[in-house]
């Protein structure tokens, strides 16, 4: 096996949550290009077919499953559907998430809980459902955020708390499952990438934040997908419980 062979995911099955748009689409296509069949999960099931076409264009099989990760039963149904179709789950990319920017004195309990339910609890329920059937050598890649490590000038208590929680969840699942089950759990902390979330930012915000990006540009979703493929592959076989910032240098400024 060559070094490059270790990055391949041929014959494996990956689940990508939040696969209907944005970074989820990039993850799905990246995993398909690396050789994996892909289970596409999202609440907006009607939008999954476009992502499925990208997976099929890469020569792999796509399965679309309507999933609200905030619902433990829905996460279990997602895992059951993957097992029924493919007989295995090798990779879970916990990408589903939402963001808000509400001042802490004005944020309602419902607003705060919704972010935590999807971003943090949803990551847990999906990992739990998949972890029950994953075999040794499998991998979970949680999508955290640089806002779980630093701040970025917006009132994002719910989002930052949820992503900090994902980082803690990653460490704990890694120590629970790494040795006993042979399932590696790691996280990525993306910086600024074009997505539905960045589309809601006020004019001028991203230009101001660019001053903190050492590389001076926003990230390319394919760069993020490549990191996820690495973490899921044998190339990262000795990487466990880590959160990898992919941020152009935001967290060092």
């Amino acid at each position: 096996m060559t070094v490059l062979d270790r990055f391949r995911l041929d014959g494996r099955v990956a689940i990508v949550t939040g696969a209907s748009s944005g970074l989820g689409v990039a993850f799905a296509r990246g995993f398909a290009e690396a050789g994996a069949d892909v289970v596409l999960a999202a609440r907006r099931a009607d939008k999954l077919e476009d992502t499925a076409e990208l997976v099929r264009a890469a020569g792999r099989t796509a399965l679309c499953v309507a999933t609200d990760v905030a619902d433990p039963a829905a996460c279990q149904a997602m895992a059951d559907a993957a097992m029924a179709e493919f007989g295995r789950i090798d990779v879970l990319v916990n990408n589903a998430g939402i963001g808000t920017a509400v001042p802490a004195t004005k944020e309602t309990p419902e607003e705060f809980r919704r972010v935590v339910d999807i971003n943090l609890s949803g990551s847990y329920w999906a990992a739990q459902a998949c972890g029950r059937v994953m075999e040794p050598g499998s991998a979970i890649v949680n999508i955290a955020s640089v806002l779980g490590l630093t701040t970025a000038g917006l009132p994002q208590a719910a989002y930052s708390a949820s992503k900090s929680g994902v980082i803690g969840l990653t460490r704990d699942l890694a120590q629970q499952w790494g040795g006993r089950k042979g399932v590696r759990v790691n996280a990525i902390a993306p910086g600024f990438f074009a997505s539905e979330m960045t589309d809601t930012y006020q004019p001028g915000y991203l230009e101001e934040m660019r001053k903190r990006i050492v590389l001076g540009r926003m990230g390319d979703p394919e760069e993020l997908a490549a990191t996820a493929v690495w973490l899921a592959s044998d190339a990262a076989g000795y990487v466990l419980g880590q959160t990898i910032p992919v941020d152009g240098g935001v967290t060092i400024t």
Side-chain angles (χ1 to χ4, degrees):
M1 180 181 290
T2 69
V3 167
L4 290 180
D5 288 336
R6 292 184 178 276
F7 290 85
R8 294 293 306 176
L9 297 172
D10 300 290
R12 303 189 195 184
V13 175
I15 295 178
V16 178
T17 67
S20 60
S21 64
L23 298 178
V25 176
F27 288 130
R29 181 169 59 184
F31 275 83
E33 291 174 350
D37 295 321
V38 187
V39 179
L40 307 169
R43 288 173 297 164
R44 298 175 297 183
D46 57 310
K47 293 191 174 184
L48 287 174
E49 188 56 35
D50 290 341
T51 311
E53 287 302 314
L54 295 175
V55 172
R56 296 176 188 127
R60 308 311 307 167
T61 301
L63 173 67
C64 300
V65 183
T67 308
D68 178 358
V69 296
D71 179 1
C75 289
Q76 186 61 56
M78 173 189 73
D80 291 344
M83 292 298 292
E85 180 72 16
F86 298 108
R88 59 190 297 159
I89 300 171
D90 301 288
V91 179
L92 168 65
V93 180
N94 262 324
N95 169 70
I98 60 172
T100 57
V102 183
T105 55
K106 297 180 180 179
E107 192 159 33
T108 67
E110 292 75 21
E111 288 172 326
F112 190 92
R113 289 174 183 143
R114 181 168 179 263
V115 174
V116 173
D117 282 348
I118 294 174
N119 294 2
L120 176 55
S121 300
S123 294
Y124 183 56
W125 302 133
Q128 183 186 72
C130 293
R132 288 173 174 142
V133 296
M134 281 179 155
E135 297 291 337
S138 300
I140 295 173
V141 181
N142 293 324
I143 307 305
S145 169
V146 292
L147 293 187
L149 301 167
T150 185
T151 57
L154 292 176
Q156 293 183 291
Y159 184 78
S160 295
S162 70
K163 293 302 186 177
S164 294
V166 167
I167 292 170
L169 175 68
T170 298
R171 288 194 302 266
D172 193 81
L173 293 182
Q175 63 91 22
Q176 285 194 52
W177 294 348
R180 183 170 62 85
K181 293 174 66 68
V183 175
R184 292 185 302 104
V185 186
N186 291 288
I188 298 173
F192 292 100
F193 290 79
S195 67
E196 290 184 342
M197 190 181 305
T198 59
D199 289 343
T200 66
Y201 289 159
Q202 293 296 317
Y205 172 75
L206 288 175
E207 287 70 21
E208 184 64 25
M209 284 298 102
R210 191 169 281 116
K211 298 175 183 177
R212 287 184 59 186
I213 304 174
V214 177
L215 293 182
R217 63 174 176 84
M218 291 181 65
D220 184 327
E222 291 187 358
E223 294 172 312
L224 202 61
T227 305
V229 167
W230 164 60
L231 285 174
S233 74
D234 293 341
Y238 205 53
V239 181
L240 180 71
Q242 301 303 304
T243 296
I244 309 297
V246 183
D247 64 356
V250 168
T251 50
I252 66 172
T253 60

